[in-house]
Amino acid sequence: MNQYLKHDEWSIVEEGFNPKNARASESLFSLGNGSMGQRANFEEKYSDSSLQGSYIAGVYYPDKTRVGWWKNGYPEYFAKVINSTNWIGINVVVDNEQLDLAVCKVDSFVRVLNMKEGYLERSFVAEMQSGIKVKVCAKRFLSMSSPELGVIQYSITPLNSNAKITLQPYLDGNVINEDSNYNEKFWVEVSKGLTSNGGYLITKTNKLDFEVGHGMVCNVSLDGKSIANVTNQDQSSNHVSCNYSSDVSSGKEFSITKYVAVISSLNSEKDNIRNAIQHSLDIALSKGYSTLLKEHIDAWADIWVHSDITVEGDVAAQQGIRFNIFQLSQTYTGKDERLNIGPKGFTGEKYGGSTYWDTEAYCLPFYMCTHGQKVARQLLIYRYKHLEKAIINAQKLGFTNGAALFPMVTMNGEECHNEWEITFEEIHRNGAIAFAIFNYIRYAGDTEYLANFGLEVLIAISRFWAQRFTYSESKGKYVMLGVTGPNEYENNVNNNWYTSTIACWCLEYTEQAIYLVKKNDPSRYNNIVESIYFNETSEIATWKVIRANVYLPYDEKRKVFLQQEGYMDKEQILVKDLEPSQRPINQKWSWDRILRSCFIKQADVLQGIYLFEDRFDIETIKNNFEFYESRTVHESSLSPCVHSILAAKIGKIDQAYSLYLRTARLDLDDYNKEVHEGLHITSMAGTWMSIVEGFGGMRIQNDMLIFNPSIPKGWKSFSFKIWFRENLIKVKVAHEEIIIINEQGPSLDVKVWDKPLCVNSSSLIKI
Ligand code: BGC
């Protein structure tokens, strides 16, 4: 762990500059607005270790696959949302010496991410090698109300001497990805130019021809008064800059406001990008900094009205959940159906910004309940549109008859993951996609979605499962060979309990969905049957036989489901007996040692129990929780949230709380020693679940919201809001009472602790 940030309810605060934390802070203080995002790199030069990252949603590069041993079926490329033009840059020169925090002495450094209003501020005093001290204040935001705009206000004040200061704002397309497979440069210049107070740069990706234009316009002032135009301008390959120089007296402030417009060919005709940049910058200039900031803050206020979670009495817990909600909201807004949620969002290169099962298994509930059901539907439509490619993907692996295997990692529906034990074997992702359809329909009641989109996906997934099971003569059962469950610290196992369980559930739910659509919309059903050559009688009959005869490993002695066949052959050591110096094991142990150990990377059996909770009695949940929690190292960010929810369910509130902190503050406190690579955006939605479904005990049963709340002892109260169908419901839980407020929509029947309740405007329940 690395705990260097101050606890604060609405802000992330770093005091003092420690170069060792520079990369971590670049991740933690990231900004985004759904359309673009960036790591918190400094505006001025920084010559020490830094991961520069500025990303544009949906603009990616198919980086040619690089593997040691090629396997048939591997994809040709890995899709990456790539680092693009650095538009925040402002070089600062003080009497011929460049400001660089890696070189000068830094004092009074404070960096604040204001989550309520969505901006990043930084201030410090730097002593240059010449002995001149300067005070610098910088503030920037990526507009939530005009998603193509970013604005920076940067000021410098010499403190102990007059100085000649040059501010040099620039746009620089000479950027690379650290994780590029062949050190390729991904961008080439299309055009560039200078204007009276700025310039523009249009670049295009070497492959796929995405074009992105960045334009800047700057206002400069000295001691509060605007000063004349640029003193010098410069253009070189993939780069434009302007120089603003002035003699600045000691104590006077020299400042620049840099407005930047970012337009990509995803949202504009290529030959109109230049005009679109100009248009957007004209509007930005006419509104001015204060108005743009106000519009941005208002947009954030709208987001918080529906999504905020309050925790009274525990600042660390409060900060954690707000940080998670903030990052999720700036990663994906649900406005563009071509986009999805990369595991690291806009905060790092790992995972390439592509789509994983994380979206369906973790993110969907958060966006559905806080950003609205339309957003959830949008996420499902994204996969629906990839169905054909998922069928082709399965065909490549030898499956037939319209069976679909959705990719482990994708940008456009094509698989781009390339480790056989995951690409070909971590097939439980198909289950998460089917479960998301079920979850959305149970929550939103949108059966029209099922008929028009969902059912085709479900049938294709079920066809895959039906072919993926094998009948074992020796067991007299259907088995699933050669799979990797969510716990990636086991590969190529037989009969992974989670995978087989979710596969059977898919077969069962698809059957129910078929009957529902057939009843409600027979003509649509007939269309589906014809278009995919669906043989209802024989296919459903096969699914039934498999479900009734599946082999699910179970340990009679311990009364637990076995993660996979043979799990008990491993030496059984508990996490509590591991030397702290050996953790995280993925950074300390060989892969071979990890595979042979009993340690679990992330919830696997417990993931299944979480999804299908109603099928298990409380004793079963308890046994499995105790057995698996004590063997889980939680080295996947997706793990502790599920354990926290189950701990709350079985009444282990203290444990639920410490698991909650582990998910909520995973990045803020760097539990897994990897925050420098970027934030764990998708698991942040799991943090939200651990409050709403864990402590809030929220579930949907028979079209009704139910709550079984509990509260950690250190909290005075907590509250959350959810959109449920036409209603906006606020739930506040304290030790003695639960308050449910119906903020919008007709009166609603809910249940609290099994007690039916009709919520009109405000209902108070005493415990
Ligand atoms: C996890 C996967 C997850 C991926 C992206 C991996 O470490 O094991 O389950 O999909 O990260 O978040």
Side-chain angles (χ1 to χ4, degrees):
M1 286 196 11
N2 182 15
Q3 296 173 303
Y4 65 95
L5 301 168
K6 227 176 120 176
H7 289 175
D8 183 282
E9 293 194 344
W10 273 111
S11 298
I12 307 302
V13 184
E14 177 184 9
E15 288 175 339
F17 180 61
N18 180 353
K20 283 202 188 116
N21 293 330
R23 278 195 178 219
S25 290
E26 284 175 353
S27 304
L28 288 159
F29 290 79
S30 292
L31 286 180
N33 64 7
S35 294
M36 58 178 166
Q38 52 179 227
R39 288 169 60 80
N41 304 118
F42 295 157
E43 286 85 0
E44 71 280 352
K45 176 183 170 158
Y46 184 62
S47 58
D48 205 341
S49 174
S50 163
L51 173 62
Q52 206 202 12
S54 185
Y55 310 96
I56 294 156
V59 174
Y60 68 96
Y61 194 83
D63 200 12
K64 193 166 152 13
T65 301
R66 186 179 182 128
V67 289
W69 296 94
W70 187 267
K71 304 265 183 310
N72 266 350
Y74 273 176
E76 295 295 321
Y77 69 90
F78 187 87
K80 298 180 169 150
V81 173
I82 44 175
N83 187 18
S84 82
T85 293
N86 171 5
W87 60 260
I88 59 161
I90 303 176
N91 284 325
V92 180
V93 180
V94 181
D95 280 351
N96 295 322
E97 189 186 336
Q98 184 148 22
L99 176 64
D100 175 352
L101 293 202
V103 174
C104 53
K105 205 173 141 216
V106 188
D107 210 1
S108 312
F109 181 96
V110 182
R111 173 154 41 182
V112 179
L113 181 65
N114 182 323
M115 300 187 286
K116 188 170 192 178
E117 304 194 327
Y119 56 79
L120 172 64
E121 268 183 312
R122 187 168 57 104
S123 62
F124 58 87
V125 172
E127 185 176 334
M128 312 292 292
Q129 283 174 333
S130 64
I132 297 184
K133 285 189 179 176
V134 290
K135 177 170 190 245
V136 171
C137 298
K139 178 163 169 173
R140 70 176 190 250
F141 60 94
L142 272 60
S143 174
M144 266 289 173
S145 47
S146 311
E148 77 288 1
L149 269 188
V151 187
I152 305 170
Q153 211 170 49
Y154 192 96
S155 69
I156 176 163
T157 310
L159 297 178
N160 56 352
S161 156
N162 301 340
K164 177 164 186 198
I165 299 183
T166 301
L167 297 173
Q168 187 191 53
Y170 61 85
L171 302 171
D172 183 28
N174 295 305
V175 292
I176 52 153
N177 262 52
E178 280 192 352
D179 71 350
S180 149
N181 283 340
Y182 295 92
N183 288 332
E184 252 181 290
K185 265 193 122 183
F186 295 145
W187 295 99
V188 285
E189 181 184 306
V190 175
S191 63
K192 62 175 179 275
L194 293 161
T195 56
S196 61
N197 257 340
Y200 71 93
L201 172 67
I202 302 178
T203 51
K204 93 180 168 63
T205 53
N206 254 324
K207 292 182 194 159
L208 298 183
D209 281 351
F210 284 110
E211 279 193 22
V212 179
H214 288 74
M216 64 173 173
V217 62
C218 305
N219 278 342
V220 179
S221 63
L222 179 61
D223 198 22
K225 291 185 201 73
S226 281
I227 61 164
N229 288 345
V230 287
T231 39
N232 191 12
Q233 290 181 307
D234 198 18
Q235 302 191 43
S236 54
S237 169
N238 257 330
H239 187 100
V240 292
S241 67
C242 303
N243 278 18
Y244 299 85
S245 293
S246 183
D247 292 318
V248 185
S249 311
S250 177
K252 301 287 181 211
E253 186 183 79
F254 189 35
S255 71
I256 181 167
T257 307
K258 180 177 178 184
Y259 301 88
V260 176
V262 183
I263 307 283
S264 85
S265 53
L266 281 175
N267 300 317
S268 164
E269 294 297 324
K270 286 182 183 162
D271 52 14
N272 195 42
I273 289 181
R274 170 82 190 91
N275 287 340
I277 291 172
Q278 195 53 51
H279 179 68
S280 169
L281 288 176
D282 288 346
I283 295 179
L285 269 189
S286 70
K287 287 185 178 170
Y289 179 82
S290 307
T291 305
L292 290 172
L293 180 60
K294 183 174 179 309
E295 288 175 355
H296 169 74
I297 292 173
D298 289 349
W300 267 109
D302 280 349
I303 293 172
W304 285 116
V305 163
H306 302 129
S307 59
D308 191 24
I309 289 185
T310 63
V311 176
E312 267 190 299
D314 185 341
V315 179
Q318 173 69 83
Q319 185 184 40
I321 183 64
R322 286 210 171 114
F323 180 64
N324 287 243
I325 296 170
F326 175 74
Q327 291 295 348
L328 286 163
S329 303
Q330 58 173 5
T331 301
Y332 180 76
T333 56
K335 288 181 189 143
D336 184 339
E337 67 176 28
R338 294 166 298 182
L339 305 181
N340 209 281
I341 307 135
K344 298 235 170 279
F346 300 117
T347 70
E349 295 181 355
K350 199 171 172 195
Y351 301 121
S354 304
T355 309
Y356 286 64
W357 74 301
D358 307 29
T359 294
E360 287 77 17
Y362 297 85
C363 299
L364 188 99
F366 167 79
Y367 289 106
M368 181 158 70
C369 297
T370 62
H371 286 55
Q373 284 142 212
K374 273 197 197 141
V375 174
R377 186 179 161 115
Q378 188 114 296
L379 287 171
L380 299 186
I381 292 279
Y382 175 94
R383 292 290 193 178
Y384 173 76
K385 290 198 167 162
H386 292 172
L387 177 57
E388 244 170 73
K389 288 196 172 141
I391 293 173
I392 294 170
N393 187 34
Q395 274 167 1
K396 278 193 203 152
L397 307 187
F399 295 84
T400 57
N401 188 34
L405 176 60
F406 282 88
M408 184 68 198
V409 178
T410 194
M411 196 61 76
N412 59 10
E414 286 166 13
E415 177 64 271
C416 51
H417 193 277
N418 57 43
E419 282 169 90
W420 64 269
E421 59 278 31
I422 292 178
T423 315
F424 307 142
E425 299 204 333
E426 212 176 320
I427 49 179
H428 64 80
R429 61 204 187 234
N430 254 9
I433 290 168
F435 190 86
I437 295 172
F438 160 76
N439 203 10
Y440 166 71
I441 291 167
R442 124 178 113 168
Y443 192 86
D446 183 2
T447 47
E448 180 265 326
Y449 179 82
L450 187 63
N452 290 326
F453 306 98
L455 187 60
E456 282 172 84
V457 174
L458 291 172
I459 293 177
I461 286 177
S462 287
R463 283 173 157 177
F464 172 82
W465 290 128
Q467 293 170 46
R468 192 60 169 75
F469 279 110
T470 311
Y471 184 70
S472 157
E473 292 286 346
S474 70
K475 286 194 166 72
K477 292 272 183 191
Y478 283 87
V479 294
M480 179 104 63
L481 306 176
V483 294
T484 297
N487 167 34
E488 289 170 348
Y489 287 179
E490 289 280 1
N491 296 158
N492 195 33
V493 298
N494 293 338
N495 298 311
N496 172 262
W497 184 86
Y498 173 76
T499 308
S500 297
T501 299
I502 201 163
C504 288
W505 172 86
C506 287
L507 298 175
E508 185 183 343
Y509 178 57
T510 305
E511 187 185 330
Q512 288 166 10
I514 285 168
Y515 297 143
L516 194 75
V517 174
K518 198 173 168 183
K519 186 169 130 238
N520 293 346
D521 193 346
S523 81
R524 168 71 187 143
Y525 179 67
N526 289 336
N527 285 343
I528 295 176
V529 168
E530 274 170 35
S531 69
I532 64 170
Y533 306 103
F534 182 58
N535 186 331
E536 184 189 307
T537 318
S538 79
E539 295 196 46
I540 293 185
T542 307
W543 301 348
K544 278 190 189 315
V545 174
I546 294 172
R547 285 201 282 122
N549 297 287
V550 69
Y551 175 69
L552 294 172
Y554 184 71
D555 186 281
E556 280 295 345
K557 196 169 134 210
R558 293 172 185 78
K559 304 241 170 300
V560 294
F561 304 113
L562 278 187
Q563 187 175 260
Q564 75 264 348
E565 219 173 343
Y567 181 76
M568 290 314 294
D569 295 340
K570 295 181 163 221
E571 190 186 1
Q572 297 295 318
I573 314 170
L574 303 185
V575 174
K576 72 174 172 45
D577 299 324
L578 259 178
E579 279 282 312
S581 65
Q582 300 294 295
R583 298 182 68 187
I585 59 172
N586 65 12
Q587 291 171 23
K588 307 285 170 151
W589 287 8
S590 71
W591 187 238
D592 161 68
R593 187 172 174 194
I594 290 175
L595 290 178
R596 283 184 288 109
S597 84
C598 72
F599 295 117
I600 296 169
K601 179 184 181 191
Q602 81 182 78
D604 194 309
V605 166
L606 295 187
Q607 182 82 27
I609 291 183
Y610 159 68
L611 293 181
F612 307 116
E613 176 193 277
D614 292 347
R615 302 183 167 193
F616 309 106
D617 59 39
I618 208 80
E619 274 316 301
T620 306
I621 300 179
K622 273 186 186 158
N623 282 342
N624 281 278
F625 178 84
E626 266 151 35
F627 183 81
Y628 284 110
E629 164 56 20
S630 56
R631 288 160 175 80
T632 303
V633 286
H634 297 294
E635 288 173 15
S636 162
S637 61
L638 301 172
S639 187
C641 58
V642 171
H643 287 229
S644 176
I645 295 167
L646 290 182
K649 163 97 189 160
I650 59 177
K652 291 178 170 264
I653 303 303
D654 289 348
Q655 204 168 357
Y657 172 70
S658 67
L659 287 159
Y660 163 78
L661 279 189
R662 191 173 176 124
T663 174
R665 298 192 60 86
L666 177 81
D667 289 323
L668 291 175
D669 294 339
D670 202 7
Y671 276 81
N672 288 347
K673 302 190 179 155
E674 56 190 14
V675 72
H676 54 279
E677 294 174 347
L679 303 176
H680 297 89
I681 298 293
T682 45
S683 79
M684 293 184 175
T687 300
W688 179 90
M689 295 186 328
S690 63
I691 291 214
V692 175
E693 298 177 9
F695 300 126
M698 185 187 93
R699 303 286 188 275
I700 311 291
Q701 268 174 13
N702 305 324
D703 281 341
M704 191 189 273
L705 276 178
I706 63 163
F707 301 96
N708 288 305
S710 50
I711 179 166
K713 51 179 181 293
W715 295 6
K716 250 174 92 187
S717 75
F718 68 96
S719 76
F720 59 87
K721 285 192 192 174
I722 45 158
W723 283 112
F724 180 68
R725 305 191 181 182
E726 296 157 77
N727 293 86
L728 180 63
I729 302 290
K730 177 172 178 177
V731 179
K732 183 168 181 191
V733 180
H735 289 275
E736 306 75 32
E737 62 185 21
I738 299 164
I739 300 170
I740 301 186
I741 300 171
N742 187 351
E743 292 200 346
Q744 203 174 303
S747 61
L748 184 74
D749 290 328
V750 302
K751 267 191 201 166
V752 180
W753 295 118
D754 288 334
K755 213 172 127 193
L757 181 78
C758 180
V759 197
N760 295 315
S761 56
S762 175
S763 301
L764 182 89
I765 303 191
K766 295 263 179 208
I767 298 179

